[in-house]
Amino acid sequence: KIIIGSLALAAALGVAGVQFSMWWIDFSDQPASSDMIVLLSGSDYGCAVHAAELFADGYAPEVWLCRERPPEAVLLARGLGIPALMEGEILYEILRKKGVPKANIRRYGQGVLSTVDEALSFRREARLEGKRVLVVTSRYHARRSRIIFRSILKGCPVTVVATPHEKFERRWWRDQATAKATILECFKTLYYMLGGRFVRSAS
């Protein structure tokens, strides 16, 4: 009986965990008129498309995009003379192709490591007093991004929207890419809640 009860409890906790992850991952604020759009790195390229659309629709007059730390793979390729692009460079080019003027794109930070590092770098370089911020990212990343940016940009209204230009399966276990992103995002959230941070000052 004890074994059967333990198995039943484990099964119930498993179902509850799946239901919770479905709720957690399926999140996005409604876009709000803002002073700055922040396009997060590590995002699906569809996020850059959506950021450009929000810019075109007049939600904010400028788009901020960080300079992330170059991945080892990119450095290796460049060392061999292969013109490999970093993700931030691709996101920048998508913004330009979608009509965002060069003068309206602000690059910030240097060697940014994580979402926390993005928020800290943005706070250091942007003049945020009295400003509203619109963050654009992937759907699976939106809820954690809102927690982080609202915590770091205290007193600054922050809205976080997910791009519609990405494949998203709410029943995440049916899609390999979504399953990988969901599981990783749950662990990243737990790591953050326990005080974990990846920032340049600690690297």
Side-chain angles (χ1 to χ4, degrees), residues 120-188:
L120 290 171
S121 297
F122 178 69
R123 186 181 66 183
R124 282 193 295 267
E125 297 190 29
R127 297 180 179 178
L128 294 174
E129 186 175 355
K131 300 295 179 65
R132 297 159 296 174
V133 176
L134 179 59
V135 177
V136 182
T137 188
S138 295
R139 194 170 196 86
Y140 63 84
H141 188 219
R143 192 181 296 275
R144 181 167 62 92
S145 297
R146 187 171 74 157
I147 292 171
I148 291 171
F149 269 80
R150 287 188 173 183
S151 174
I152 292 175
L153 307 185
K154 286 183 175 18
C156 177
V158 175
T159 302
V160 179
V161 298
T163 176
H165 305 295
E166 68 175 343
K167 182 179 179 181
F168 180 79
E169 173 58 67
R170 197 167 191 268
R171 293 171 293 184
W172 53 264
W173 57 90
R174 294 190 173 190
D175 178 75
Q176 184 183 39
T178 308
K180 179 180 178 181
T182 300
I183 294 169
L184 183 60
E185 189 63 27
C186 288
F187 277 104
K188 285 183 176 180

Side-chain angles (χ1 to χ4, degrees), residues 11 24 33 53 63 68 72 109 176 185 190 193:
W24 179 270
S33 179
E53 292 171 341
V63 181
E68 78 273 32
E72 292 296 327
Q176 184 183 39
E185 189 63 27
L190 179 61
M193 293 299 188

Side-chain angles (χ1 to χ4, degrees), residues 27-67:
F27 173 79
S28 177
D29 287 326
Q30 289 297 315
S33 179
S34 303
D35 298 287
M36 309 170 191
I37 294 171
V38 179
L39 172 59
L40 296 189
S41 64
S43 302
D44 186 279
Y45 294 155
C47 296
V49 173
H50 194 46
E53 292 171 341
L54 292 169
F55 172 85
D57 289 340
Y59 279 97
E62 56 189 26
V63 181
W64 287 61
L65 175 63
C66 79
R67 301 182 187 89

